[in-house]
Amino acid sequence: MIDIKGICPIIATPFTDSGEVDYESVENLIKELIKGGCHAVTLFGIAGEYYKLSDEERKKMVELTVRVCKENSGKLIISVTDHATEVAVKQAKYFEEAGADCLMLLPPFFLKPGVGYLFEHMKAIANAVKIQIMAQYAPEQTGVSIAPEVFQKLGNECPNIMYYKIECKPAGSYITNLINLTQGNVKIFAGNAGFQLIETMDRGAIGAMPGCSMYDVYLDIYNNFVNGNREKAIESHNFLLPMLNHIRQNVEQIIHFEKRILKLRGIIKSDYCRKPSYNSDEYFDKLFDEFYSELSQKYAWR
Amino acid sequence: MIDIKGICPIIATPFTDSGEVDYESVENLIKELIKGGCHAVTLFGIAGEYYKLSDEERKKMVELTVRVCKENSGKLIISVTDHATEVAVKQAKYFEEAGADCLMLLPPFFLKPGVGYLFEHMKAIANAVKIQIMAQYAPEQTGVSIAPEVFQKLGNECPNIMYYKIECKPAGSYITNLINLTQGNVKIFAGNAGFQLIETMDRGAIGAMPGCSMYDVYLDIYNNFVNGNREKAIESHNFLLPMLNHIRQNVEQIIHFEKRILKLRGIIKSDYCRKPSYNSDEYFDKLFDEFYSELSQKYAWR
Amino acid sequence: MIDIKGICPIIATPFTDSGEVDYESVENLIKELIKGGCHAVTLFGIAGEYYKLSDEERKKMVELTVRVCKENSGKLIISVTDHATEVAVKQAKYFEEAGADCLMLLPPFFLKPGVGYLFEHMKAIANAVKIQIMAQYAPEQTGVSIAPEVFQKLGNECPNIMYYKIECKPAGSYITNLINLTQGNVKIFAGNAGFQLIETMDRGAIGAMPGCSMYDVYLDIYNNFVNGNREKAIESHNFLLPMLNHIRQNVEQIIHFEKRILKLRGIIKSDYCRKPSYNSDEYFDKLFDEFYSELSQKYAWR
Amino acid sequence: MIDIKGICPIIATPFTDSGEVDYESVENLIKELIKGGCHAVTLFGIAGEYYKLSDEERKKMVELTVRVCKENSGKLIISVTDHATEVAVKQAKYFEEAGADCLMLLPPFFLKPGVGYLFEHMKAIANAVKIQIMAQYAPEQTGVSIAPEVFQKLGNECPNIMYYKIECKPAGSYITNLINLTQGNVKIFAGNAGFQLIETMDRGAIGAMPGCSMYDVYLDIYNNFVNGNREKAIESHNFLLPMLNHIRQNVEQIIHFEKRILKLRGIIKSDYCRKPSYNSDEYFDKLFDEFYSELSQKYAWR
């Protein structure tokens, strides 16, 4: 059984300028992330625009990602996002058979199912697979609240649900509560673009699942932190923060700017986002360029 | 170009007791609705649990429904529910080619796209097909508000968006506003299980899109109304109201009880709902039986 | 210690045509409710437009209501709606000293405080007074969810919190859960305008807190029910349902129509509602008149 | 007619350790802000915990603030937050008579009134006073969306509504839209704790309304910016950002930490917040101390 930790970015879904999935860029992106030192890559996170893909596209993405990860010895997390438990269970099994190392699990939220239904949903998926599972708690995006006690009970009944990606606001006290409730028997990942990455790791998180375009910035922060250079980690985080503060004012905005960074870095071919997306404007284009210029110098992006 | 009006129920998705789509029951259900006099049938409404189906299942549902409608001379509305404009456009074209008479269109709601994005989404779909379109306005379910002025402008730019299914609360004043804004140049359908069907038709609606299990009850109300027997229509609506008041307290609840009615009426084989669903209890089972008994006597259900 | 049960309507706040509180009409209304047989009257419910009153007006309302209740031997429930715990505690003590028989308690909801904060809020109020308390659970209006386990724990720590007004959707299963969790050691009131009054009482509720304009209709239903005439209770409820279905599509709408009924019945002088309110239109005015005519005949309103 | 611009912080409401308003600290705080160079001070912003005060306390706050502002030649903005239009109009008139230089106006949000009602509410208040008005747009806190076209129309009908405090996410494009729609005929203030202060000013904002505890930090940024030292402004903003990023993860959290800063700086006596509030924990206390230490050195706080 593998051990997930560190920086496990969400794989963006590159499109061509006409809006088709650009699988070549997907492959290039995954290679970049693995070779660049990411501890794992994550398919179908919200930042990966999973909700804008057809099932067929998702299937091709799975096959491609599994292959590229195998060829490059990268670990792979795939997120189960289907609403119906029956469909989600099938997807979970398919991801496991296809070769995922770990599942992420976003509980359903349309029509706001009660917590009891969410519990049964997550349990059914955990029981259907043998691989490890990371439950995602993203109430800002889903509108659905889950108390840490629910996850505590879930972990007791489902030993393979061992990871949690916590991105409520503020996440800090929730994480500490969950760690205390479970006597430390959970492994926490930071979400929310790593805005509070230092705090989250100080509180015991073992990694983060940010967007992929600045994976090396997050690796720099993470590696400094785990190597005991907390001051340097904070310095790098503070360097990132102003950009993050502007390009992550809402979810479609960060998806838009992640794509732009990936294109500028030469990792994907087009920065097309499927619609509804975020429309930048003249001012923001200029501001973005300033930020990009600073970061690309510091991190020697091409 | 066909003309849609009257009772156009949402086709439930029958499952087997093990949770697979029961296509035989789907076929039986559609035949029942058409032969029973429904003016059209509607695929992939919310009450059809569209959000619990895989793309493959939806494709099979489309093929089956188109065939059964053709064989039985029934009109068919298919709802485009995909989040991404690019994917929704493809689906819309596919539905048109497959043989849909009209599209319903539920604008995307995850991450609450701004109204401008919703407008562009609806326009792109309207431009991609030649058949008529019904825009669905369901803010209670989606959390997304759209002013009637937006639909007015949309209709001006997209002549094939001519129908509106309005299910905000209260819908009445919204409908009257929309009719007035467009000088009557829109065709309104009642949604929301027909709770305010009489009011909605009094205000100018030309039909309703209720659940399918009690299609004949809605037909009775509608036919009486359009034939000038408003008093009899009200009487039948008042007879229905107590049951509706109990089995439609939230969306998953009415999906559950619609299935139960369809099974008791011998139209589908199992009342299975994919999860997350609504769990009834002993009391509600008893209450439901009382209501069912009354309605089945009045309407001579088997 | 008194025992609250039965029909305990929310006292509307009558205004003059220029928008001032019409205390004379308040007095008349309370007398009407008590003499008409209401088991208690409730001040500062949502239907009483409490959120549109200044503190000074609320104080005068309290003094007036206490006096009129005493003079007419009516029981009085007053709702504590203040956001801050410190302010709510003071209000609770003031209401107790002024002569309230029972407090209703709407937990704060602005900025969506976490459940832990709501628990502490309710507990602080319960500890500050000796009289009985009814916790109000109205997630549709407040956007704040509270699990029945939280109320169970609250009742254990605060013996004077013994009543619950449950108006989530659906309320039925929540009520049954709460009764089961507490081994029946709670007293439940129906809210939500009594839409599911029969179901709620079937499940063990001991009363209801509807609007006040049709108090005698609710008394008719309640009295028939508790006297064993469930069929007659259902008949009266079914008679009410079509009107309720139309005048209670949202909260400001029912406030508007309650006032209109009260004025037509000669109980208050003006049907003015403070703004933002509900604007009726020509159609709805006509529909309302039809409903009013039917009910006023059946219940011999003047 | 005065001209509002610059840094106009929200006056915190200091309490004693037993939860009473500490008027002495209020006075001290206002003096500090005015003498420290704030362009105006703002009473009853959300960060001022206005929703936790009784009417009587608010009245005393108004009287005190007016007096202290007059004695110290400070400009005063007072926010009208009452739900009912009739009550809000009275408050607005009272604030004007008492001596406010400008009103802020938070439209009502409980029960989510439609945009038409909000428009009438804002217009009624504008018509009732002669002083200038700043409309506050805070959809994250209120859950109520208002399109920029609504404010455009409002400004046309109400010439004294000339300021807008925009704190939607992202605010940037909304601000640019509003400026374009009105041909620059509006004056914009940044809200949202000044997270995107540079962007907002780049886009044409003329000031900000942050919390009050770090008023000098915001003045430093603002003054550098308007004096042409954009680089220095950015540098100071980047210095602030890490702290802001941690102490402003939700509204009650920043209220909590603002109080703590004010107490440490010797400006108020107690950091008590009325409940529901934010409960810090051991980790956050330590993190806060680190941030405080850095900022207090840079800005020579006592």
Side-chain angles (χ1 to χ4, degrees), chain C residues 18-20 46 50-57 82-87 90 106 108-111 113 117-118 121 141-142 251-252 255 272-279, chain D residues 18-20 46 50-57 82-87 90 106 108-111 113 117-118 121 141-142 251-252 255 272-279:
Chain C
S18 59
E20 298 299 313
I46 295 176
Y50 80 84
Y51 50 94
K52 300 182 184 172
L53 300 175
S54 69
D55 284 0
E56 197 186 331
E57 290 166 339
D82 305 271
H83 182 96
T85 305
E86 291 82 350
V87 177
K90 277 189 190 168
L106 182 67
F109 47 86
F110 183 47
L111 305 177
Y117 298 103
L118 302 182
H121 180 90
Q141 279 75 44
T142 63
V251 172
E252 290 292 350
I255 291 172
Y272 189 93
C273 299
R274 281 190 178 166
K275 292 167 184 44
S277 179
Y278 170 80
N279 295 335
Chain D
S18 60
E20 297 301 311
I46 296 175
Y50 80 83
Y51 50 94
K52 299 182 185 170
L53 300 174
S54 71
D55 284 359
E56 197 185 332
E57 289 166 339
D82 305 270
H83 182 97
T85 306
E86 291 82 352
V87 177
K90 277 190 188 166
L106 181 67
F109 48 86
F110 182 47
L111 305 177
Y117 297 103
L118 301 182
H121 180 90
Q141 279 76 44
T142 64
V251 172
E252 290 292 350
I255 290 172
Y272 189 93
C273 299
R274 280 191 178 167
K275 293 167 184 47
S277 180
Y278 170 80
N279 295 335

Side-chain angles (χ1 to χ4, degrees), chain B residues 55-92:
Chain B
D55 284 359
E56 197 186 332
E57 289 166 339
R58 287 203 280 163
K59 192 157 181 294
K60 286 181 76 172
M61 289 284 281
V62 169
E63 287 163 3
L64 172 63
T65 308
V66 166
R67 176 177 61 74
V68 179
C69 282
K70 283 212 176 119
E71 288 170 5
N72 296 276
S73 305
K75 287 181 191 166
L76 174 57
I77 304 163
I78 309 185
S79 185
V80 177
T81 60
D82 304 270
H83 182 97
T85 306
E86 292 81 352
V87 176
V89 162
K90 277 190 189 167
Q91 283 287 71

Side-chain angles (χ1 to χ4, degrees), chain C residues 247 253-261 278 280 284 288:
Chain C
I247 70 169
Q253 193 189 24
I254 197 171
I255 291 172
H256 171 97
F257 284 109
E258 291 260 6
K259 290 267 180 81
R260 217 188 265 200
I261 295 169
Y278 170 80
S280 187
F284 219 101
F288 170 80

Side-chain angles (χ1 to χ4, degrees), chain D residues 17-69:
Chain D
D17 285 335
S18 60
E20 297 301 311
V21 178
D22 172 6
Y23 297 100
E24 207 177 300
S25 285
V26 177
E27 177 156 359
N28 207 44
L29 168 59
I30 300 171
K31 278 185 195 160
E32 170 88 22
L33 297 175
I34 298 175
K35 291 182 175 164
C38 291
H39 301 79
V41 292
T42 308
L43 195 61
F44 303 145
I46 296 175
E49 293 174 279
Y50 80 83
Y51 50 94
K52 299 182 185 170
L53 300 174
S54 71
D55 284 359
E56 197 185 332
E57 289 166 339
R58 288 203 280 161
K59 193 158 181 294
K60 286 181 77 172
M61 289 284 281
V62 169
E63 288 163 1
L64 172 63
T65 308
V66 165
R67 176 177 61 74
V68 180
C69 282

Side-chain angles (χ1 to χ4, degrees), chain C residues 4-10 38-42 77 104 134 164-167 188-198 200-201 205-211 215 218-219 221-222 237:
Chain C
I4 306 282
K5 68 178 179 190
I7 302 301
C8 310
I10 307 299
C38 292
H39 301 78
V41 293
T42 308
I77 304 163
M104 187 153 80
M134 180 185 306
Y164 291 90
K165 180 186 184 186
I166 303 297
E167 36 195 351
I188 306 287
F189 278 77
N192 192 24
F195 264 104
Q196 287 86 26
L197 182 52
I198 306 293
T200 317
M201 294 191 70
I206 60 164
M209 310 189 82
Y215 71 89
Y218 290 98
L219 278 169
I221 299 166
Y222 173 82
H237 191 253

Side-chain angles (χ1 to χ4, degrees), chain C residues 63-172:
Chain C
E63 288 163 3
L64 173 62
T65 307
V66 165
R67 176 178 60 75
V68 180
C69 282
K70 283 213 174 118
E71 288 170 5
N72 296 276
S73 306
K75 286 180 191 168
L76 174 57
I77 304 163
I78 308 184
S79 184
V80 177
T81 60
D82 305 271
H83 182 96
T85 305
E86 291 82 350
V87 177
V89 161
K90 277 189 190 168
Q91 283 287 70
K93 284 179 173 172
Y94 165 61
F95 295 161
E96 180 179 45
E97 282 159 31
D101 297 296
C102 177
L103 299 180
M104 187 153 80
L105 178 44
L106 182 67
F109 47 86
F110 183 47
L111 305 177
K112 301 208 190 318
V115 163
Y117 298 103
L118 302 182
F119 187 90
E120 292 305 320
H121 180 90
M122 295 189 280
K123 189 172 166 180
I125 287 158
N127 287 344
V129 297
K130 293 211 174 63
I131 53 176
Q132 303 171 345
I133 293 177
M134 180 185 306
Q136 181 178 12
Y137 181 46
E140 300 279 315
Q141 279 75 44
T142 63
V144 174
S145 290
I146 303 175
E149 286 80 5
V150 176
F151 286 130
Q152 175 197 14
K153 193 178 161 213
L154 190 68
N156 284 343
E157 299 191 17
C158 310
N160 56 338
I161 301 183
M162 50 177 60
Y163 301 102
Y164 291 90
K165 180 186 184 186
I166 303 297
E167 36 195 351
C168 53
K169 284 185 189 170

